[in-house]
Amino acid sequence: MKTREEYIESLKKLNLEVYLLGEKVENPTEHPIIKPSMNSVAMTYELAQQPEYEDLMTVTSSLNGEKINRFTHLHQSTDDLVKKVKMQRLLGQKTASCFQRCVGLDAANAVFSTTYECDEAHGTNYHENFKKYWDRVQKEDLVVDGAMTDTKGDRALSPSQQADPDMYLRVVERREDGIVVRGAKAHQTGIVNSHEVIVMPTIALRPEDKDYAVAFALPADAKGIFMIYGRQSCDTRKLEPNADIDVGNKNFGGHEALMIFDDVFVPNELIFMNGETDFAGMLVERFASYHRQSYGGCKVGVGDVLIGATALAADYNGVPKASHIKDKIIEMNHLNESLYSCGIACSCEGCATKAGNYYVDTLLANVCKQNVTRMPYEITRLAEDIAGGLMVTMPSQQDFDNEKLKPYIEKYLKGTDDVPTEDRMRILRLIENITLGTAAVGYRTESMHGAGSPQAQRIMIGRQANVAHKKELAKEIAGINKKK
Ligand code: SF4
Ligand code: FE
């Protein structure tokens, strides 16, 4: 396994083509806007080296018997699925942001089982391709992004019906030694901190969409790939001199980017689907379900930090004993633990796939994510309620550092006498960061749209809930169709 330092060194060796605020970034690992997100991923390496987290963060590989980081594991039991969620909660607590490495983990588990079943049906060799690839990922302890979401153009049209055929990533050329692909993947979490990327289709496909049924892996710096870094609310605060208090979470963050594949060559051995439209839906559904499980861990961990910050804001205001404050904190915990319960439940109810790795209960995973589209919003509302308006009207750090202004800010923005004004400012800025600032991408809007927008989960819940069986139950109890 790599150490944190080895991970950062390995990133420096990549030749990524990244654009941010209109300019090419020469050294992404040192860029003040990008670096906090790299620190979040680095935490997945750091914790894996610590004896107290060994059981959660490391595991024995099913492919090669070596000790590996759990972020590269193919789940072998429901216990593995549960530990994944617990690991994600821990990382959320340590970073208060999206730590990005789950996407590749979820993609790997989905590709592993889907390629097995695709090979069975079509006589292809994708599963072996994938096993060889993933064995290397585990041994080299790599960060792999999972690229699913196409840009989609006109949502009413299928991929092959689009006015521009590149709105979904597709194969533009088939060669003896591989394929050439073109397209773009949107919202690519953590791609600038990744060594590799696994690309998958974004929806179930019909036979006429054959060129869009494509899955493969590539190094993130493969020729023809480039990334345009996503803008986040308050991101340029990180560029201010001595940026600290106003950033809210100085050391950690997440990121997304628009990833362009400008006629990129993929060699045969890295292809995991090439035209098998009948397996696109399975791959999408499995990846989505794993990632919907993930949100029952990561968002809960960030929620823990937000609840802690909110309770501190109440302490600093001198109102921790007010009954409505106590009740609101209880409500925040109730909502947060409800999300966790779903993450744990869909893991406990998981089962083995034909390929042997474990898969979550899809109904419960979709219920988990559907709750994530709502409950963090209510947790956020309560945090803002308790934090008070000062969270968004407070003077800047530059004002606080100004000799003339500092004594006035210290005097008038003080809460309880025993707490320095600066501490109060720091905790309010942290709440602002999670609810409105750079981390809000991960905690709020990603809660809505990450791992699929709410309607996608409702479709799955509708399919999986077996209402016909429930009707039978009701008929039985009501005595309908029973012979007297
Ligand atoms: Fe992991 Fe959560 Fe970020 Fe997805 S949103 S990559 S599950 S931390
Ligand atoms: Fe996400």
Side-chain angles (χ1 to χ4, degrees):
M1 296 189 304
K2 280 186 167 57
T3 62
R4 174 199 158 86
E5 290 70 30
E6 286 165 346
Y7 162 62
I8 294 169
E9 276 314 303
S10 66
L11 274 188
K12 286 186 198 292
K13 289 191 186 122
L14 295 178
N15 191 20
L16 297 180
E17 191 176 343
V18 185
Y19 297 86
L20 195 164
L21 298 174
E23 283 175 13
K24 184 156 187 274
V25 181
E26 289 312 326
N27 187 359
T29 60
E30 291 301 332
H31 195 288
I33 289 183
I34 302 174
K35 197 172 180 177
S37 74
M38 182 192 72
N39 289 338
S40 294
V41 183
M43 189 57 91
T44 70
Y45 289 90
E46 198 176 323
L47 295 182
Q49 301 284 337
Q50 296 179 9
E52 62 181 308
Y53 299 122
E54 190 182 4
D55 184 47
L56 210 52
M57 296 296 305
T58 68
V59 63
T60 303
S61 164
S62 58
L63 294 179
N64 51 46
E66 290 182 16
K67 183 177 173 181
I68 54 167
N69 191 303
R70 189 177 290 281
F71 274 98
T72 65
H73 188 44
L74 299 165
H75 317 298
Q76 297 300 301
S77 62
T78 53
D79 187 50
D80 274 346
L81 290 169
V82 168
K83 281 185 175 150
K84 172 197 165 193
V85 172
K86 291 188 175 183
M87 169 178 78
Q88 289 168 314
R89 184 171 189 171
L90 175 71
L91 263 302
Q93 291 171 342
K94 297 283 188 191
T95 61
S97 62
C98 167
F99 37 89
Q100 307 144 57
R101 206 175 170 186
C102 332
V103 200
L105 170 64
D106 292 341
N109 276 276
V111 172
F112 184 79
S113 64
T114 305
T115 50
Y116 184 92
E117 290 177 47
C118 180
D119 287 358
E120 247 187 9
H122 292 285
T124 42
N125 193 42
Y126 301 135
H127 190 63
E128 279 309 309
N129 281 356
F130 183 73
K131 274 191 351 194
K132 265 191 216 130
Y133 171 68
W134 201 252
D135 179 61
R136 181 171 74 80
V137 167
Q138 288 186 338
K139 285 179 176 155
E140 294 180 17
D141 201 2
L142 301 178
V143 178
V144 182
D145 197 7
M148 179 164 278
T149 310
D150 288 294
T151 48
K152 297 203 278 275
D154 183 339
R155 270 64 173 166
L157 302 175
S158 73
S160 54
Q161 291 168 340
Q162 299 286 330
D164 180 342
D166 300 337
M167 299 315 283
Y168 289 74
L169 187 136
R170 65 182 177 127
V171 179
V172 290
E173 193 188 334
R174 289 191 165 81
R175 292 190 202 162
E176 203 53 1
D177 53 345
I179 53 175
V180 177
V181 297
R182 183 188 305 154
K185 292 288 185 181
H187 330 300
Q188 283 316 295
T189 297
I191 185 63
V192 179
N193 298 321
S194 300
H195 306 97
E196 299 267 329
V197 60
I198 292 179
V199 173
M200 299 162 282
T202 206
I203 47 167
L205 297 165
R206 290 191 288 255
E208 60 268 29
D209 292 326
K210 193 167 180 276
D211 290 343
Y212 299 89
V214 61
F216 56 87
L218 278 177
D221 59 356
K223 190 168 175 288
I225 291 179
F226 63 96
M227 304 136 201
I228 310 171
Y229 202 86
R231 188 104 225 232
Q232 296 178 338
S233 174
C234 310
D235 52 4
T236 47
R237 286 191 195 182
K238 292 176 191 162
L239 302 177
E240 291 168 7
N242 307 318
D244 181 4
I245 299 176
D246 286 1
V247 176
N249 182 351
K250 190 180 164 193
N251 293 320
F252 301 104
H255 76 242
E256 271 76 25
L258 177 65
M259 188 176 191
I260 314 283
F261 294 77
D262 205 13
D263 290 0
V264 182
F265 175 71
V266 186
N268 283 330
E269 64 272 18
L270 292 178
I271 298 175
F272 313 132
M273 178 183 288
N274 185 8
E276 294 78 10
T277 47
D278 49 339
F279 281 87
M282 179 189 284
L283 182 53
V284 173
E285 190 176 306
R286 290 188 181 176
F287 170 74
S289 294
Y290 279 123
H291 210 54
R292 289 168 194 174
Q293 169 212 25
S294 289
Y295 280 34
C298 77
K299 302 297 176 232
V300 180
V302 180
D304 287 327
V305 178
L306 181 56
I307 292 168
T310 307
L312 281 171
D315 290 351
Y316 297 173
N317 277 345
V319 292
K321 295 206 175 81
S323 63
H324 77 99
I325 298 285
K326 281 202 285 191
D327 192 55
K328 283 166 185 163
I329 302 280
I330 289 169
E331 178 64 7
M332 292 171 83
N333 279 297
H334 162 71
L335 294 167
N336 205 41
E337 298 301 336
S338 298
L339 298 176
Y340 185 55
S341 305
C342 288
I344 294 295
C346 70
S347 306
C348 291
E349 291 286 294
C351 60
T353 66
K354 278 189 177 179
N357 65 334
Y358 267 66
Y359 183 44
V360 292
D361 181 286
T362 45
L363 174 60
L364 296 182
N366 279 278
V367 170
C368 177
K369 172 66 216 310
Q370 179 78 182
N371 283 333
V372 172
T373 66
R374 300 171 178 176
M375 292 175 180
Y377 283 79
E378 180 62 8
I379 294 171
T380 291
R381 192 184 71 80
L382 291 165
E384 289 182 10
D385 176 348
I386 293 172
L390 186 62
M391 180 182 98
V392 289
T393 63
M394 197 163 52
S396 67
Q397 183 188 330
Q398 283 97 324
D399 295 316
F400 192 62
D401 292 341
N402 178 296
E403 244 172 76
K404 173 185 156 82
L405 305 177
K406 184 165 185 156
Y408 290 93
I409 293 172
E410 280 196 315
K411 175 181 165 76
Y412 288 111
L413 296 190
K414 201 161 177 62
T416 54
D417 199 47
D418 58 332
V419 176
T421 300
E422 183 181 323
D423 290 2
R424 190 167 175 237
M425 293 171 75
R426 283 184 180 276
I427 218 68
L428 291 176
R429 287 291 181 214
L430 173 58
I431 298 172
E432 183 197 31
N433 175 260
I434 299 174
T435 59
L436 299 169
T438 53
V441 182
Y443 191 65
R444 280 182 64 154
T445 312
E446 196 179 38
S447 287
M448 181 67 79
H449 293 292
S453 304
Q455 192 57 24
Q457 290 110 58
R458 297 190 81 76
I459 291 167
M460 287 294 290
I461 292 168
R463 262 195 232 146
Q464 302 265 329
N466 201 352
V467 176
H469 172 61
K470 289 169 187 171
K471 284 183 188 168
E472 289 308 316
L473 294 175
K475 280 186 185 169
E476 175 79 21
I477 298 287
I480 295 171
N481 296 339
K482 247 192 200 164
K483 287 200 180 114
K484 291 253 165 69

